[in-house]
Amino acid sequence: MVLRGSKILVNNKYVNAKFIGNYLKCHYNGTYASLPKITPREATEILRSNEFTKEFDSSNSIKYYDFNQLAANNPIEDARSEARCKLTNGLLFGVFDGHAGNECAKAISNRLFYYLAASFLPPTALDKILSSGDSSKELKNNLLDLYNGKIDFDSTIEKIYDESFMSFVKELSNKSSTYSSESDFQMDVAIENAFSSLDNDITNEALATLQKPDAAKTLGVAMSGAVAIVAHIDGPHLHVAGTGDCQAVLGVHTESDGWSAKMMNIVHTIDNRDEIKRILSEHPPKENKTVISFGRLLGQLAPFRAFGDVRYKWSEEMLKKVVVPHYGRVIAPYYRTPPYLTAKPDVIYHRLTPKDKFLIIASDGLWDEMSPLEAVRLVGEHMSGKVTLSPVKLPRKHMKLSEINEILLQRKEGLKKKPLDENAATHLLRNALGGREYGIDHAKLARSLSHPCGNARYFRDDITITVIYMDSEFLRHCPT
């Protein structure tokens, strides 16, 4: 441990003194001697505490999905949403990773799906909604069926959000009236517009409430930031929209090649050369050495696209007037030609086939610990082994002995891969924190789980995982 004045060196970075107490709690002379000992049973209880599974009927291309989440920050800065679009045929899944606080991630996890669901409606449906005179709350209830608990904001903030949403719907209706036909609709354009519109609303809400009691709340959302990954699945049609560094990967299986991983989004970080070129092209050549430095935007922000983070979007004059009085010195060095940041997503389309078995969407806390291919193989093995967790059930009556024998042989093979967890997201969590080449190392897993929220952030990130399973039979019979 190295101290310098009021700061402490952690992972080659000097951290403010307010973290020193927490840091010392989980370190003693460079060892983990002060950490509590965790038994395998206690580790399992911790890993399973947030797991969730939702099943669907056979009328959809999705059979079910598994979810889990493990905090490192206190409070956790990740968020998630899953929902069904009531007025169109589609399911939405999202993972949101916040930074500089959890305010922005919480806000977009509870707002973005409504913007998306409204964006998918044809002009006639938008006109009907507006002419009905429904309140924003009634409209939202008609748009989405949420599968996870909605976060309740206080009444004043909820009113601000409702007003912004109704304005967005009216704007959508006005744009839709210019369509020559409903065939002009483009899914990627609609998704991009929903992302950007919500981000603009977050900015405008912060400015509109500057002199009001709730200014700190709206400005807090705008000042914190969040990246997002959202999947929309409608029958065989999969669209994935990504802003930032969360990732989505499709697990693909064929008899000849086994498991493979198909990346379903573009990551906006220093590893993306096209993204670097885009950012440099948007600013004068004299900023080439400063707009991206130390692998970060303006030397500070790791993701190159995000919601919120107005400190990289507003003019310097605006920051001095609005932000500095509340947050102090927040203007980045060499801040000359904003905006430097956008929430616009890249959208990728893929038509699902029977060989596409599942989709994993997760925050970068998972991808820091394993590669997409490793994750796909783990979930693939979990699928094979999971059948051994329940008694044998014959799929139909009057089967031949040879057919029954084939089922038993497959089950025998699956026993070799029998997982500890029924939930695939939990299975990924366990392997991310305790996995070795030979299996799960309990000592490694226990050491990771021993760090309390807040302290754990020095060793890993928040991890949020959703695994969505496709119905191969449904996709096999979809018309081409």
Side-chain angles (χ1 to χ4, degrees):
M1 182 175 66
V2 179
L3 294 176
R4 176 178 290 178
S6 62
K7 295 189 176 182
I8 185 171
L9 184 64
V10 181
N11 295 336
N12 297 318
K13 295 180 183 179
Y14 284 99
V15 181
N16 290 334
K18 65 180 180 179
F19 296 123
I20 292 178
N22 287 338
Y23 190 82
L24 291 175
K25 288 179 183 177
C26 57
H27 281 72
Y28 180 72
N29 293 334
T31 71
Y32 296 95
S34 61
L35 292 175
K37 293 182 179 180
I38 293 180
T39 66
R41 180 177 179 179
E42 290 170 335
T44 294
E45 289 176 353
I46 294 171
L47 289 172
R48 294 179 181 175
S49 59
N50 292 316
E51 67 180 16
F52 175 79
T53 296
K54 168 73 177 177
E55 296 182 355
F56 297 94
D57 58 35
S58 57
S59 64
N60 200 289
S61 59
I62 300 173
K63 295 168 69 175
Y64 65 97
Y65 71 88
D66 286 339
F67 163 84
N68 208 337
Q69 185 178 64
L70 186 68
N73 292 284
N74 186 18
I76 188 171
E77 294 182 345
D78 280 4
R80 46 69 82 114
S81 286
E82 304 94 40
R84 177 179 66 88
C85 298
K86 290 183 176 180
L87 301 181
T88 55
N89 297 318
L91 292 162
L92 287 164
F93 302 88
V95 169
F96 312 93
D97 186 353
H99 47 263
N102 67 346
E103 295 96 331
C104 189
K106 285 171 57 179
I108 63 173
S109 71
N110 277 262
R111 302 178 66 185
L112 180 58
F113 280 13
Y114 292 109
Y115 281 64
L116 288 166
S119 299
F120 300 154
L121 296 177
T124 51
L126 286 169
D127 292 339
K128 184 177 180 180
I129 285 173
L130 292 173
S131 62
S132 69
D134 287 347
S135 66
S136 177
K137 184 176 181 180
E138 292 170 327
L139 172 55
K140 289 179 179 178
N141 287 336
N142 290 331
L143 282 176
L144 287 179
D145 182 11
L146 293 173
Y147 296 137
N148 61 305
K150 182 180 182 297
I151 296 175
D152 291 322
F153 300 101
D154 67 58
S155 58
T156 306
I157 294 298
E158 193 74 54
K159 183 180 179 182
I160 293 171
Y161 290 169
D162 287 347
E163 290 173 353
S164 294
F165 179 64
M166 291 304 292
S167 296
F168 171 72
V169 174
K170 291 176 183 177
E171 184 180 339
L172 270 182
S173 179
N174 292 334
K175 287 182 178 179
S176 297
S177 63
T178 63
Y179 292 167
S180 59
S181 69
E182 291 184 8
S183 63
D184 291 338
F185 175 81
Q186 294 176 285
M187 177 64 85
D188 56 344
V189 174
I191 293 174
E192 289 172 7
N193 182 57
F195 272 60
S196 297
S197 295
L198 175 55
D199 191 52
N200 290 335
D201 284 348
I202 288 172
T203 294
N204 294 333
E205 289 157 4
L207 294 175
T209 58
L210 281 178
Q211 307 304 321
K212 298 181 180 180
D214 293 291
K217 295 178 181 178
T218 54
L219 185 58
V221 172
M223 278 296 291
S224 64
V227 298
I229 189 83
V230 172
H232 177 264
I233 304 174
D234 181 0
H237 305 293
L238 167 64
H239 289 84
V240 177
T243 291
D245 55 3
C246 292
Q247 291 187 54
V249 58
L250 194 63
V252 182
H253 187 268
T254 62
E255 292 298 326
S256 58
D257 300 324
W259 288 106
S260 61
K262 180 179 177 63
M263 296 307 303
M264 286 305 303
N265 72 296
I266 298 169
V267 178
H268 303 123
T269 65
I270 191 64
D271 297 322
N272 184 335
R273 291 186 178 182
D274 290 337
E275 188 70 357
I276 294 173
K277 291 178 182 178
R278 178 191 69 81
I279 293 173
L280 293 178
S281 71
E282 294 175 353
H283 301 278
K286 64 182 180 181
E287 291 190 66
N288 282 355
K289 293 183 179 180
T290 59
V291 68
I292 298 174
S293 58
F294 303 104
R296 294 169 176 257
L297 188 69
L298 295 173
Q300 296 183 347
L301 191 65
F304 290 169
R305 300 192 194 189
F307 286 87
D309 282 317
V310 293
R311 72 184 74 192
Y312 307 109
K313 296 175 180 176
W314 285 351
S315 67
E316 184 175 0
E317 180 183 3
M318 182 70 74
L319 290 174
K320 287 179 178 178
K321 178 181 177 182
V322 176
V323 177
V324 171
H326 296 276
Y327 289 86
R329 188 176 178 180
V330 297
I331 302 175
Y334 307 105
Y335 195 84
R336 292 166 180 159
T337 56
Y340 291 92
L341 192 65
T342 178
K344 181 182 177 182
D346 277 317
V347 182
I348 291 179
Y349 169 76
H350 175 75
R351 183 181 174 87
L352 295 167
T353 70
K355 67 181 181 180
D356 301 320
K357 302 303 181 183
F358 53 82
L359 179 72
I360 305 170
I361 59 175
S363 59
D364 66 341
L366 175 68
W367 310 118
D368 289 342
E369 307 296 337
M370 65 176 61
S371 70
L373 183 56
E374 286 176 310
V376 165
R377 286 175 174 169
L378 282 166
V379 175
E381 291 175 358
H382 183 267
M383 286 179 65
S384 301
K386 186 178 175 181
V387 297
T388 65
L389 297 176
S390 56
V392 176
K393 289 185 179 180
L394 298 181
R396 61 184 184 276
K397 296 180 179 179
H398 310 300
M399 293 184 68
K400 297 179 181 178
L401 286 176
S402 60
E403 292 173 327
I404 296 173
N405 183 59
E406 182 64 26
I407 291 174
L408 293 175
L409 288 174
Q410 290 176 357
R411 183 178 178 87
K412 181 179 179 181
E413 190 65 27
L415 281 169
K416 299 176 183 177
K417 306 172 184 177
K418 184 176 181 179
L420 291 171
D421 306 293
E422 188 168 351
N423 185 295
T426 307
H427 182 66
L428 284 175
L429 265 182
R430 187 184 295 274
N431 280 272
L433 301 182
R436 299 282 195 193
E437 291 182 4
Y438 54 81
I440 299 298
D441 180 347
H442 174 69
K444 179 185 176 185
L445 177 63
R447 184 163 63 246
S448 181
L449 294 177
S450 295
H451 301 294
C453 292
N455 293 337
R457 61 181 293 188
Y458 298 115
F459 307 95
R460 60 173 178 81
D461 201 354
D462 299 323
I463 301 175
T464 300
I465 307 166
T466 302
V467 183
I468 306 148
Y469 290 89
M470 312 306 171
D471 188 331
S472 297
E473 285 303 310
F474 180 97
L475 294 172
R476 186 171 285 112
H477 294 95
C478 277
T480 58

